[in-house]
Each structure stands twice: as C-alpha cells, then as structure tokens.
Amino acid sequence: MVGRLTLWLGLAANVAVVNMLLVVSPYPGSSLPFVLGRFFGLHAAMILALQLLLIARLPWFDRRIGMDRLTAWHRWTGFTLLWTIVAHATCMVVGLAMMSGKTLAGQVVDLATNWEGVLWAMFAAGLLLSIGIVSARFARRRLSYETWHLIHLGTYAGVLLALTHQIAVGTTFTASPFARAYWWTLWGVALGAVLAGRVLLPLWRNLRHRFRVTRVVPESDTVVSIYITGHRLDRLPAQAGQFFLWRFLSRDRWWQANPFSLSMAPDGRTLRLTAKAVGTGSAALRQVRVGTRVFAEGPYGAFTAMHRTRPATLLIAGGVGVTPIRSLLENLEGHVVVLYRVRSTADAVLADELRALADARGAELRLVTGPSRPVPPTGPFLGPDHLLELVPDIRERDVFVCGPAGMTSAVLRSLRQLHVPQRQVHTERFGLAG
Ligand SMILES: Cc1cc2nc3c(=O)[nH]c(=O)nc-3n(C[C@H](O)[C@H](O)[C@H](O)COP(=O)(O)OP(=O)(O)OC[C@H]3O[C@@H](n4cnc5c(N)ncnc54)[C@H](O)[C@@H]3O)c2cc1C
C-alpha cells in the first residue's frame, strides 16, 4: 500500500509540474495541433522516466509492490508511451506545417534536416516503436526470453536519444532555471535508479557474497534442487517467498539468467532453489557442477510475510509453485493451512519436507490430487465450495497462492466468489515477461 501510494503521489506531482511548465511557457503564434504536440511530448518524456523507474528493481519498491506487478505496469505504460510518442510526432508535424505553410512531407524533411536533435528523435521513436511491436503478445511468444530481452535493451539507446532531443528542441526544458532543474532532476532520478538497481546493487551484492553451488539434488525425474552458499549470507536481506534471477557461470550457461524462488527460508548460510525442467535452461540445471560460481540478482518479490494482514494464513500451492510456499511455511507465525494441488502424490515434490514442517509447526497440510484440467474447469478442485469445505474460516485468513497460470486464475476467481478481501490475497506468478 505504502509503495503504491508513493508511486501514485509521485506521478500526480510530476503530472502537475509538467502541466504547470506547459502553461507558464507558451510558444508564441502556435496552432492548436502544435500546442497538443508539446503536451504529448512533455508527457512522453515524463512517462519514459516513469518507465525507467518501474523496471529499476529498486528493493524498496520491489519488496512492497512485487516485480510481477511492476513489470505488468511497465508493460502497459510502455504501450501508453508509444501512443503518446505517435501523437506527439503527428501533432508537431501538422502544427508546424500549419504555421509554416509547408506540406506535411516538406515539414518532415525540414524537421529532419534543419532542427537540431529531431533526426535523432526520429531514430529514437522508430526504435521504441519497434521494441513495442516486439513486446506485443503475438511477437513476444515467437522469441526466446533472451532474444526478446536483448532487443529490449535497445530501449536505453532510445531513452538517451530522446533525452538529447528534449535538451536540443524542448522549449520548456530551457524556459526557466526551475524547468531545467526539474527535468534534470527527473532524468537524474530515473537513470540513477536504473543504474543503482540494475547494475551497481547486483554487482556489489555478488562481489560481497560470492555465491557458489554446494549441492545439486534431484527431487524427481524433472525437478532438481540447487544449494548455494556464499560469504556473509546473514547480511543478504532475503526473505522466505522471494526469488532471485540466477545465472550459473559455467562456460555453456553464463549467458542465461532465470528466475527461481527460494524453496527454503534463508538461514544466513545457505540458499536453495528448486526448479522444474520446462525448457532448455531449467533442464540444464541438473548438469550444474558443485563449485560453480553463481551471479544472483535479487532478492526480489513481494510474496512475503511482510504483507500479512491477519493472524492466520492459508497457503495454496500448485505443482512447482510449491517452492515459495515451502519457504513461507517455515517462517510464518500463527495458524497455517497448506493446500498442495498436484496431479498425483508422486508429483508432489518437497512433500516430505512440507509434512515434516507442518508437523513441527502444528500446521495442516492437505494434498489435493486430480487431473490438471478437470471438467468442469474449477470442478471440485479448489472451486469456491471446495475451498470453503477445506478451510471454513478462509475469509479470516491471508491467502498466498502460487501455481500454474490456469490454476492461479481459477483460485483467485474462487476467492473473489467467497468474498475474501483483496488485501488478504497474495500471489506469485511464475512469469514476468507478459
Ligand atoms: C518470479 C518467478 C519465480 C519462479 N520460481 C520458480 C521456481 O521456484 N521453480 C521453478 O521451477 N520455476 C520457477 N519459475 C519459472 C522459471 O523461471 C521458468 O520455468 C524458467 O525460467 C524457464 O526457463 P527455460 O530456459 O527452461 O525455458 P524457456 O523456454 O527459455 O523459458 C520459458 C519461459 O520462462 C520465462 N523465463 C525464462 N527466463 C526468464 C527470465 N530470465 N526472466 C523472466 N522469465 C523468464 C519466460 O516467460 C519464458 O518464455 C519462476 C518464474 C518467476 C517469474
């Protein structure tokens, strides 16, 4: 709540300042499309700065809002940004053509050749538009995560080109010392946040902790646990339920980083991840050797006890979604019920550990077995009636849900039908890229 409120208040304050700057520095003799062009241009600059903040992975925001939600906002803000850029460019060309008497094509050529920084801005807009198209669902599905990510990094070039454009021709940028101070502060904060959250903090943490693989333990035919140690892990601010982006620095894998949750609560000496083989990266984890150095970015995620609102908890895991649930069970206080949804008991990885933990803590553990796509869809499996039957005081509990997309959505639907208050429901989705 505090994280969201800070973000919304910050956004509202910036919208107010940007519009104030627009009003106090009018452009003499401008046409309506030109005024609109400036409006869209300034808002595009502000949205671009917001975009950077959303993916900066600053721990303070990440712990409070969660990377899945921040990434989803980043995605939708990105599409808003693209339309704002298109509106800015269109209105500017039309507005300037009306003021100069040139044709639209003539105005574009004039802008590209005679206006400092505009040609670069055209490149920036083209780059951001292309990245936006690649990020649309239909194109995104056809690319591997790594290819998409590499292309996405081109955004930073777009940001720098956009910034030079704003400095060169942005009339509000140079209108007053206050305007200059505002824009430099905005860009400084946004770029500084990215540098700190994406580069400096991960580098510092990895230099400090020097993570290394100590054990590789197969849990089933398709699931493997990897134990990792490092220096001064007691100083790593990781919590049960969080995840890291793990990069195993072997010759054949160093270029690939994948998110995996901690499947054991961090104890200051060891971290553990448990991964199911779904693609080439996760399948190769079985071959990781003891002693391999690891570059870990994190801890990330808001799927933690910090967000509890009630004394009692219900944990719902589906398949390998059990990993953060297993670590949460270890350090939650109060009465806990665990529902673990799997196809059969043989598929229930970490079930023995869950049982031992549940016994030790006086928690209730129920395995819910059955086909993964029951008919009807929510069937007896975690539909509202089933949930109420299993956990009659469900409305009095915080509910943490982690599992495959279909199961998670079905459970969330059930919780809505049962009128479990939204603030008591917490989810971790095993997918960030939209
Ligand atoms: C927050 C989070 C926590 C997760 N925790 C676990 C866990 O504890 N155990 C487990 O088995 N699985 C977990 N996953 C899922 C796991 O990350 C993917 O199954 C794994 O990355 C697949 O990689 P791959 O190379 O095998 O398959 P690929 O075929 O290369 O990838 C399959 C899909 O996985 C996702 N993915 C791959 N790499 C990344 C990345 N670097 N960042 C974001 N998404 C990526 C993409 O959506 C991609 O399309 C988690 C995912 C997320 C987002």
Side-chain angles (χ1 to χ4, degrees):
M1 189 63 190
V2 180
R4 285 189 210 201
L5 202 64
T6 309
L7 211 56
W8 287 121
L9 286 178
L11 183 63
N14 278 284
V15 170
V17 174
V18 165
N19 286 293
M20 187 266 288
L21 289 177
L22 200 65
V23 172
V24 298
S25 56
Y27 196 85
S30 44
S31 60
L32 179 64
F34 185 84
V35 174
L36 287 174
R38 288 181 74 211
F39 173 87
F40 287 123
L42 290 184
H43 285 80
M46 191 193 64
I47 298 172
L48 198 50
L50 173 68
Q51 276 291 72
L52 293 177
L53 196 65
L54 290 177
I55 42 94
R57 296 183 185 160
L58 293 179
W60 194 86
F61 279 117
D62 187 80
R63 270 201 302 273
R64 281 162 183 81
I65 300 175
M67 200 196 281
D68 50 352
R69 198 167 276 132
L70 287 167
T71 314
W73 291 351
H74 171 78
R75 183 175 161 79
W76 289 111
T77 314
F79 291 126
T80 312
L81 174 66
L82 293 185
W83 288 114
T84 314
I85 291 173
V86 170
H88 166 62
T90 312
C91 290
M92 280 321 242
V93 170
V94 173
L96 283 169
M98 281 167 69
M99 286 148 67
S100 67
K102 291 189 174 69
T103 61
L104 291 182
Q107 189 59 59
V108 172
V109 174
D110 180 51
L111 275 166
T113 48
N114 298 327
W115 290 60
E116 199 189 340
V118 174
L119 189 60
W120 287 119
M122 289 177 177
F123 279 126
L127 198 63
L128 293 175
L129 280 174
S130 316
I131 290 167
I133 291 167
V134 165
S135 298
R137 234 176 263 278
F138 71 91
R140 170 70 190 82
R141 270 201 289 265
R142 287 171 174 73
L143 296 172
S144 76
Y145 178 82
E146 285 73 25
T147 312
W148 170 82
H149 193 239
L150 203 66
I151 295 172
H152 214 78
L153 288 181
T155 316
Y156 294 113
V159 170
L160 293 179
L161 290 177
L163 179 59
T164 55
H165 164 64
Q166 199 187 7
I167 296 169
V169 289
T171 43
T172 45
F173 201 91
T174 49
S176 66
F178 173 77
R180 259 196 306 279
Y182 167 74
W183 285 112
W184 279 121
T185 308
L186 184 72
W187 283 112
V189 168
L191 290 167
V194 172
L195 188 69
R198 305 283 301 240
V199 182
L200 299 180
L201 191 59
L203 274 178
W204 180 71
R205 285 226 167 108
N206 280 276
L207 285 173
R208 183 180 204 204
H209 297 297
R210 284 173 278 155
F211 303 106
R212 198 175 280 283
V213 173
T214 53
R215 282 169 71 202
V216 180
V217 179
E219 303 282 357
S220 74
D221 289 351
T222 53
V223 179
V224 67
S225 284
I226 299 191
Y227 292 75
I228 289 161
T229 190
H231 290 251
R232 317 224 51 176
L233 288 193
D234 55 319
R235 297 290 182 92
L236 184 70
Q239 296 176 46
Q242 288 192 300
F243 69 96
F244 286 78
L245 291 170
W246 305 96
R247 189 184 295 273
F248 293 90
L249 300 178
S250 57
R251 206 176 298 162
D252 53 338
R253 281 196 46 84
W254 63 267
W255 49 271
Q256 200 173 16
N258 296 78
F260 293 106
S261 304
L262 295 174
S263 59
M264 243 170 48
D267 61 2
R269 293 183 306 277
T270 307
L271 302 171
R272 184 182 74 173
L273 64 102
T274 300
K276 180 172 178 168
V278 297
T280 47
S282 45
L285 290 177
R286 248 165 214 269
Q287 275 79 52
V288 168
R289 292 197 180 165
V290 170
T292 303
R293 289 290 301 269
V294 185
F295 191 91
E297 289 172 57
Y300 297 128
F303 196 64
T304 62
M306 176 178 149
H307 293 274
R308 279 179 65 197
T309 60
R310 311 294 298 226
T313 312
L314 168 62
L315 302 175
I316 305 181
V320 78
V322 73
T323 51
I325 296 289
R326 150 73 179 81
S327 66
L328 274 174
L329 175 61
E330 219 171 320
N331 76 350
L332 278 176
E333 284 162 16
H335 188 257
V336 182
V337 176
V338 187
L339 302 181
Y340 186 8
R341 173 78 172 90
V342 276
R343 262 179 301 180
S344 66
T345 38
D347 290 323
V349 285
L350 307 181
D352 291 344
E353 290 186 16
L354 277 176
R355 233 171 258 124
L357 268 173
D359 287 348
R361 303 190 67 267
E364 287 172 39
L365 170 66
R366 306 252 171 93
L367 246 59
V368 181
T369 54
S372 50
R373 286 181 216 286
V375 180
T378 50
F381 301 104
L382 309 184
D385 296 342
H386 190 212
L387 278 179
L388 201 58
E389 183 194 319
L390 291 170
V391 193
D393 62 348
I394 191 165
R395 290 188 197 96
E396 309 305 319
R397 292 173 180 267
D398 275 297
V399 186
F400 287 77
V401 189
C402 184
M407 187 213 91
T408 305
S409 304
V411 169
L412 293 182
R413 236 183 350 260
S414 301
L415 295 174
R416 272 196 301 275
Q417 288 171 23
L418 289 170
H419 303 293
V420 177
Q422 200 55 38
R423 64 174 182 285
Q424 286 168 226
V425 179
H426 319 277
T427 45
E428 183 67 282
R429 292 179 193 276
F430 279 4
L432 297 173

